[in-house]
Amino acid sequence: MRALSTLLVLAALPAALAVKSHDFKTCSQAGFCRRGRALSARAAENPSWKSPYSIDTSSVTLSPDQASFTAAVRSSLYPEVNFGLDVRIHEDGVVRVRLDEVGGLYRRYDEAASWALIEEPKVSNAIQWSVAKDSVRAKYGPKKDVEVTVTFEPLKVTLLRAGKEQVVLNGRGLLHMEHYRTKVSVDSDQASETPELEDNPNVDGHQAVLEQTKPGTSWFEGEGEDGWWEETFNGFTDSKPRGPESLSLDIDFPNHGHVYGIPQHATRLSLPTTTGEDAYYSEPYRLYNADVFEYLADSTMSLYGSIPFMQAHSADSTVGIFNAIASETWVDVGHPTPKSTTAHWISETGILDVFILPGPTPADVFTQYTKLTGTPALPAHWALGYHQCRWNYFSSDDVRTVQQRFDEEDIPVDVFWLDIEYAEEHKYFMWDKKAFPDPVEMTKDVEAIERKMVVIVDPHLKRTDNYPVYKQATELDVLIKQKDGQTDYEGWCWSGSSAWVDFFHPRSWDWWKSLFKIDGPEDKWHWTESTENTHIWNDMNEPAIFNGPEISMPRESIHYGGWEHRDLHNINGMLFHNLTSQAVKDRTDPPKRPFVLTRSFYAGSQRFGAMWTGDNLGTWDHMSVGVKMVLANNIAGFSFAGSDVGGFFGNPEPEMLVRWYAVGAFSPFFRAHAHIDTKRREPYLLDEPYKGIVRDILRLRYSLLPVWYTAFREASVTGLPVLRPHYIAVPQDEAGFAIDDQFFVGSSGLLVKPVVEKSVTEATVYLPEDQVYYDYFSHHAYKGTAKGKNVTVPAELHQIPLLIRGGSVVPSRERPRRSSPLMKHDPFTLRVALGKDGSARGELYLDDGETYSHHDGNFVWREFAAAKKGKGVRLSSKNLAAQKPAEAVDSVALASYSNDNNFAKSIAGVRVEKIVLLGLSAKPSSVSVEGGKELQFTFTPGVAASDKTEGTASVLVIKDPKLSITGDWEIVVQA
């Protein structure tokens, strides 16, 4: 939701406020980032620069049966400090590189990967390392063209393909793991003496430092102790009892000119430079989950989530790196040449734990990454419908009235949302009975039309004994502690004086899940005033704390295991999301798929639900950058993403609001939301023609739900994103590598170019290949070229630039309904868009949309195809599930598939009611079911798919062939 410096302004937020940049650090205000950037500057100025880190060759130990080795690493700056290197190659070719301090004063935080990964990756037992005089090497891959080289002195790790460098770690010598050292306090008259170390060295008097910067190290580390032991920002002092512990690492891509990822930032998809000549930004990209109020639409500022996953792409290959770090991190990006990229990662704490993903295709990288962190969860089908939200609907009657108005205006909607004002004194779970006297009955009224409710549950607990959730958390002793490790931390948020559950504490897990039980034990409080159709919104989980440094938690706060908050800050929000998702799932038996929206996220959050881009503004710039931000999350593994339609702040004019609905209709997560001070802007309040246009946009979304659900099935199995920028769809087309204002929806062939500017009547769409593309609505055929081509398409306010790629089959359901579950038995329309070779292909996936019975084989997965048959075309429907049962659904490799499964039988009567065939060369003489009856059809002449000319395509409409959506069939279109 929103962060404020004080609760007093809760009810009056002027829409003209801008981001308070002074509330958040720049690199120059963070000691470890200053040190890291200064290190990089010294290296750039010194032609003879050489990393001080090297491998002790005598320590190299190869595993006898796995592709892993360990070695001791030394720094010439501090030869008495020990580091341990562990390099391993997984079965899928991913290379993991770990470096940690050995025998240090403290244990460095090394648990980030354990929270992000779905399991410990299996190390290959087929790949072998070989030790040379200067390095350790391994070659692998089907063509044996992938090579990993770990050079001894200086330490460097290089991934090569066909002899070309793909990824290089420490190639520029910026690796620096600041080792732990001791600071003690002594009387001023003894300051020159060397004090004795004690278990607790803090005593009154002046401070002296044991192991200061050594003579001869300043060339690398710089002069002095910049921010080692204490820092102050905006009146907050961050004591650093462990001293300096940052990690600097350069990760370069010598043959890749574009890098993507590391969300969340309001910027372009292909990341602009932050360093080097003519750098676009002056600040590095910051990864530090923060509640940034009214964020800028073009900035490297950190936002609500952090995924330390970066891809690099060229026409030759795609590679990726996942840097499993949980602390605040800054990333500088540069382009020494147009064909190469440098990245410098600077983190406050943690070990080096980098996964190198060798690709070589975008699809390979997504498979490799999601094999590590998990694929996106297959959402409930209804969750892909339209969500209506605002801060706040203020009563049960308000909710009922909003639902009634949607139905009166025949506008579809699936979910109504309640923000923080539903809760008495913002004690989440506890209904304000003055405004919501009948919450269960209200929800059942919503459920009557098969709709759902979403209710907000934030992580801050009001500190009062009459709040059972807080009281139980206190009794269990599962609250985050102050820096003494004993006293519960107290901060200020919507609830006033608040505490925060430490979800790193195992004792909190089952307890949190028990709160959501509708029918739970009578001796403990649980949420009885809820229903199975009440789902959850997790907000403020960065965590946002109004009176905390950078509107968040003090970094010296203590979590389970003694870890400081600084160590794990970026993971904190994911654990809240994770446990809430489990709670919603487990409240029923058998479990149903949960819907839980999160604002804060990390690598792996895609397994637990959806995210949104936070507190955006109702401006054209925010509409535009929201498209790019949603794409960035998609390519970082988190497909279920969207931006608030209309902008959270402000009162958008009708034109802007209409355009924003079109953007939302082509976002995986589609929600309208608004601030408490904005005017009501539910779509039924619009005047005509705007209301009618929005109704049509929403109906378009609902008609295409089969496309969205099928795309999510593919994402849940393969990791391929639901929204796909051009570099994924056409990886060799360099002209498309930086395009981020148009995209494809899954493998459907739908190409959309949202209009995000005022007063637009036409749009330019880039066609990346020698293929025909059809306007979804008018059937106009546009012809691409092998070198790529821009075409101009109509884009009046009532028009969406939406094209179908030739060679695609798009399934839809065209009958308007009030909510998506009411469509479950509706017939299908198939749009067959012939490619220039006369063929087409598409998929459809269906299941019950809410349970996990698809893991037991209860689903339908079909392939529709068109192929030349003489001078005619043969259309077919085949059972993909029977052909590929092991690839059909997420999490389970089915051995077989039954056509007579329970779900398939439940929709056996669902039929194909229309087939629209685009691009046929001539009117057919007959259309018939193979071995069966003649079918009725109409034909409108026009441009054929194989023609070189553009214009309205020919359209063959086959009327109600009465063919089952679940069965095998063929239709012959005879020339």
Side-chain angles (χ1 to χ4, degrees):
M1 220 158 24
R2 38 252 161 236
L4 307 176
S5 59
T6 172
L7 212 61
L8 297 177
V9 294
L10 186 154
L13 290 173
L17 286 178
V19 63
K20 297 180 179 178
S21 299
H22 61 272
D23 283 341
F24 304 96
K25 290 182 180 181
T26 62
C27 179
S28 64
Q29 294 170 316
F32 76 93
C33 189
R34 284 196 306 271
R35 298 195 299 271
R37 263 198 156 182
L39 171 66
S40 178
R42 287 191 293 273
E45 293 167 358
N46 186 350
S48 60
W49 183 271
K50 180 182 177 183
S51 172
Y53 292 87
S54 62
I55 290 177
D56 177 356
T57 57
S58 66
S59 70
V60 175
T61 304
L62 304 185
S63 170
D65 57 356
Q66 291 184 323
S68 66
F69 78 88
T70 59
V73 172
R74 297 283 186 269
S75 167
S76 61
L77 303 177
Y78 300 96
E80 71 280 8
V81 178
N82 300 314
F83 300 93
L85 178 70
D86 183 328
V87 184
R88 53 189 66 184
I89 305 174
H90 302 164
E91 290 181 341
D92 61 354
V94 169
V95 181
R96 186 177 188 179
V97 182
R98 285 169 54 99
L99 181 71
D100 195 1
E101 187 175 348
V102 177
L105 290 174
Y106 308 99
R107 176 185 167 195
R108 299 182 75 95
Y109 187 69
D110 59 358
E111 296 180 358
S114 67
W115 295 110
L117 304 186
I118 54 176
E119 62 182 0
E120 187 63 24
K122 294 180 180 179
V123 180
S124 171
N125 56 17
I127 301 169
Q128 294 185 339
W129 291 98
S130 61
V131 182
K133 184 177 180 180
D134 60 349
S135 61
V136 180
R137 301 169 184 264
K139 284 191 174 184
Y140 60 96
K143 300 179 181 179
K144 297 295 182 183
D145 59 343
V146 180
E147 180 178 347
V148 181
T149 300
V150 182
T151 306
F152 293 152
E153 187 174 1
L155 171 62
K156 182 173 74 170
V157 180
T158 308
L159 176 80
L160 304 97
R161 183 177 293 275
K164 292 180 67 173
E165 290 181 331
Q166 304 290 294
V167 185
V168 181
L169 276 56
N170 201 35
R172 290 181 287 138
L174 304 185
L175 169 64
H176 188 34
M177 181 175 282
E178 293 181 329
H179 65 280
Y180 289 122
R181 54 205 89 193
T182 305
K183 178 183 182 181
V184 298
S185 300
V186 296
D187 293 336
S188 57
D189 59 353
Q190 298 174 346
S192 61
E193 300 179 11
T194 302
E196 295 294 325
L197 291 178
E198 301 177 11
D199 291 338
N200 183 359
N202 296 315
V203 294
D204 292 336
H206 295 291
Q207 296 175 333
V209 177
L210 289 184
E211 198 178 333
Q212 300 174 355
T213 305
K214 288 186 176 181
T217 65
S218 61
W219 68 270
F220 189 79
E221 291 189 304
E223 301 286 350
E225 299 167 4
D226 180 17
W228 280 16
W229 305 102
E230 185 178 276
E231 284 188 89
T232 299
F233 177 74
N234 278 358
F236 295 96
T237 297
D238 178 15
S239 62
K240 299 183 176 182
R242 299 181 309 208
E245 51 180 321
S246 73
L247 173 65
S248 162
L249 177 65
D250 54 295
I251 305 176
D252 295 345
F253 309 95
N255 291 290
H256 297 82
H258 292 266
V259 289
Y260 315 93
I262 58 169
Q264 188 184 35
H265 301 97
T267 188
R268 301 199 297 263
L269 183 67
S270 179
L271 296 173
T273 56
T274 64
T275 187
E277 292 186 12
D278 301 320
Y280 184 80
Y281 296 119
S282 59
E283 284 288 306
Y285 295 95
R286 190 186 189 198
L287 295 173
Y288 186 72
N289 296 357
D291 185 358
V292 182
F293 185 70
E294 295 187 320
Y295 55 86
L296 299 173
D298 185 6
S299 174
T300 60
M301 286 182 68
S302 59
L303 293 177
Y304 310 96
S306 300
I307 300 180
F309 171 48
M310 178 180 282
Q311 295 179 48
H313 182 71
S314 72
D316 295 329
S317 66
T318 311
V319 293
I321 65 100
F322 170 46
N323 188 2
I325 200 85
S327 64
E328 178 187 2
T329 297
W330 301 75
V331 185
D332 262 322
V333 172
H335 291 304
T337 71
K339 298 289 187 180
S340 64
T341 304
T342 61
H344 181 201
W345 296 66
I346 311 165
S347 302
E348 185 176 15
T349 75
I351 68 167
L352 188 158
D353 194 358
V354 173
F355 298 79
I356 304 174
L357 285 55
T361 68
D364 292 328
V365 169
F366 289 119
T367 297
Q368 292 154 5
Y369 175 68
T370 54
K371 188 174 182 179
L372 293 171
T373 66
T375 59
L378 180 65
H381 186 275
W382 59 262
L384 301 180
Y386 173 61
H387 299 244
Q388 181 63 52
C389 182
R390 75 172 280 113
W391 179 29
N392 206 91
Y393 294 119
F394 284 105
S395 68
S396 298
D397 288 342
D398 196 1
V399 172
R400 291 184 173 104
T401 299
V402 171
Q403 169 159 267
Q404 180 182 348
R405 291 297 309 278
F406 267 91
D407 290 342
E408 288 173 350
E409 298 291 346
D410 207 13
I411 299 174
V413 59
D414 264 73
V415 194
F416 296 111
W417 291 55
L418 291 177
D419 210 321
I420 59 176
E421 308 307 330
Y422 85 92
E424 179 187 62
E425 299 179 330
H426 299 147
K427 294 181 291 187
Y428 305 106
F429 303 99
M430 315 298 289
W431 293 92
D432 179 348
K433 287 305 183 68
K434 292 181 180 179
F436 296 91
D438 56 348
V440 173
E441 289 75 13
M442 174 197 69
T443 303
K444 289 187 180 299
D445 286 345
V446 171
E447 294 173 359
I449 311 174
E450 298 205 42
R451 293 179 176 136
K452 310 294 187 292
M453 292 292 301
V454 169
V455 174
I456 198 166
V457 175
D458 283 350
H460 46 272
L461 305 182
K462 188 174 183 68
R463 291 168 55 89
T464 177
D465 286 339
N466 69 358
Y467 183 23
V469 180
Y470 170 71
K471 187 175 181 181
Q472 290 180 19
T474 304
E475 292 169 350
L476 281 171
D477 193 24
V478 292
L479 296 173
I480 297 172
K481 307 301 180 184
Q482 297 181 22
K483 63 181 179 181
D484 63 7
Q486 302 297 321
T487 309
D488 292 342
Y489 171 74
E490 178 184 1
W492 202 256
C493 204
W494 296 116
S495 302
S497 176
S498 302
W500 279 259
V501 176
D502 183 3
F503 287 102
F504 292 88
H505 199 309
R507 207 157 52 228
S508 72
W509 301 344
D510 286 341
W511 164 72
W512 185 254
K513 288 187 283 187
S514 74
L515 299 178
F516 291 80
K517 293 288 186 182
I518 301 165
D519 300 314
E522 295 183 359
D523 59 333
K524 287 190 177 182
W525 187 93
H526 54 95
W527 204 13
T528 57
E529 291 187 305
S530 182
T531 76
E532 291 183 10
N533 291 308
T534 300
H535 293 258
I536 303 299
W537 173 13
N538 286 161
D539 198 358
M540 311 295 282
N541 52 331
E542 294 76 23
I545 300 173
F546 296 159
N547 63 337
E550 299 194 87
I551 318 177
S552 195
M553 184 165 284
R555 299 177 189 225
E556 64 266 84
S557 303
I558 300 299
H559 290 262
Y560 178 79
W563 297 114
E564 287 189 299
H565 185 74
R566 77 180 78 248
D567 296 316
L568 45 75
H569 172 86
N570 286 344
I571 297 178
N572 182 79
M574 178 175 74
L575 265 64
F576 182 50
H577 187 210
N578 179 352
L579 266 297
T580 304
S581 179
Q582 291 185 47
V584 176
K585 174 183 175 182
D586 293 347
R587 70 186 172 186
T588 58
D589 185 15
K592 291 184 178 181
R593 285 176 243 172
F595 175 83
V596 181
L597 180 73
T598 185
R599 189 171 70 175
S600 182
F601 53 87
Y602 184 72
S605 288
Q606 66 269 13
R607 306 194 299 267
F608 313 122
M611 61 75 62
W612 92 108
T613 62
D615 296 351
N616 58 350
L617 279 70
T619 67
W620 292 102
D621 285 345
H622 270 255
M623 189 195 308
S624 175
V625 79
V627 173
K628 307 173 197 303
M629 293 170 71
V630 170
L631 283 175
N633 263 73
N634 269 254
I635 62 135
F638 204 160
S639 281
F640 205 2
S643 296
D644 283 342
V645 169
F648 180 62
F649 295 103
N651 295 299
E653 61 183 331
E655 179 191 354
M656 182 189 296
L657 192 56
V658 168
R659 291 299 194 189
W660 217 315
Y661 268 94
V663 169
F666 286 92
S667 300
F669 174 55
F670 184 11
R671 180 184 76 157
H673 186 35
H675 186 273
I676 195 170
D677 283 345
T678 63
K679 298 176 182 178
R680 288 277 180 122
R681 47 170 131 110
E682 288 76 14
Y684 53 74
L685 295 174
L686 288 167
D687 293 329
E688 295 293 358
Y690 308 109
K691 178 167 59 179
I693 297 173
V694 170
R695 181 190 294 113
D696 289 343
I697 290 170
L698 287 165
R699 287 180 174 179
L700 175 65
R701 168 68 172 215
Y702 276 73
S703 73
L704 290 174
L705 285 177
V707 169
W708 289 101
Y709 200 58
T710 300
F712 266 99
R713 183 220 67 87
E714 185 178 13
S716 72
V717 174
T718 68
L720 279 166
V722 170
L723 298 190
R724 299 180 190 172
H726 277 257
Y727 86 91
I728 297 173
V730 190
Q732 284 76 43
D733 178 31
E734 295 194 28
F737 292 172
I739 291 179
D740 55 13
D741 59 356
Q742 60 180 63
F743 50 84
F744 293 88
V745 179
S747 298
S748 68
L750 291 179
L751 173 62
V752 62
K753 172 73 176 278
V755 175
V756 294
E757 295 176 335
K758 185 178 175 60
S759 302
V760 168
T761 59
E762 58 185 28
T764 300
V765 178
Y766 175 72
L767 305 183
E769 60 195 328
D770 184 13
Q771 183 59 276
V772 58
Y773 282 74
Y774 304 90
D775 186 290
Y776 186 85
F777 308 100
S778 71
H779 303 147
H780 187 96
Y782 300 92
K783 301 302 176 76
T785 66
K787 294 182 179 180
K789 177 182 175 183
N790 288 315
V791 297
T792 301
V793 303
E796 298 279 356
L797 188 58
H798 66 284
Q799 297 173 313
I800 298 174
L802 177 63
L803 306 181
I804 311 176
R805 189 183 197 176
S808 307
V809 179
V810 179
S812 64
R813 278 175 153 159
E814 303 291 335
R815 297 189 180 184
R817 301 289 185 184
R818 290 183 290 175
S819 67
S820 65
L822 300 177
M823 304 171 71
K824 65 179 67 174
H825 294 294
D826 283 354
F828 283 84
T829 293
L830 302 180
R831 283 176 175 80
V832 181
L834 294 179
K836 67 173 190 174
D837 64 355
S839 69
R841 183 190 178 279
E843 295 182 12
L844 173 66
Y845 174 81
L846 301 167
D847 59 27
D848 70 15
E850 59 177 357
T851 74
Y852 292 90
S853 66
H854 58 296
H855 290 165
D856 300 321
N858 289 294
F859 62 89
V860 169
W861 184 26
R862 307 297 303 179
E863 177 188 53
F864 305 113
K868 282 186 175 181
K869 179 179 173 58
K871 293 183 179 180
V873 174
R874 181 184 295 272
L875 307 176
S876 64
S877 172
K878 295 182 180 179
N879 192 340
L880 271 179
Q883 298 175 26
K884 304 177 180 180
E887 303 172 29
V889 296
D890 61 298
S891 307
V892 177
L894 297 173
S896 61
Y897 172 82
S898 170
N899 297 331
D900 294 324
N901 67 76
N902 290 334
F903 174 74
K905 287 192 289 186
S906 75
I907 63 165
V910 175
R911 73 187 195 282
V912 177
E913 70 172 349
K914 185 195 295 185
I915 297 175
V916 180
L917 181 62
L918 304 177
L920 202 62
S921 58
K923 181 178 180 179
S925 59
S926 66
V927 178
S928 60
V929 178
E930 179 74 16
K933 63 179 180 179
E934 293 279 330
L935 299 175
Q936 297 295 313
F937 67 90
T938 62
F939 180 78
T940 304
V943 172
S946 57
D947 291 348
K948 294 183 179 180
T949 58
E950 295 188 354
T952 302
S954 66
V955 182
L956 172 70
V957 177
I958 303 174
K959 300 178 180 180
D960 201 4
K962 292 185 173 61
L963 298 170
S964 171
I965 199 67
T966 66
D968 290 353
W969 45 258
E970 291 188 349
I971 293 176
V972 177
V973 180
Q974 193 68 44

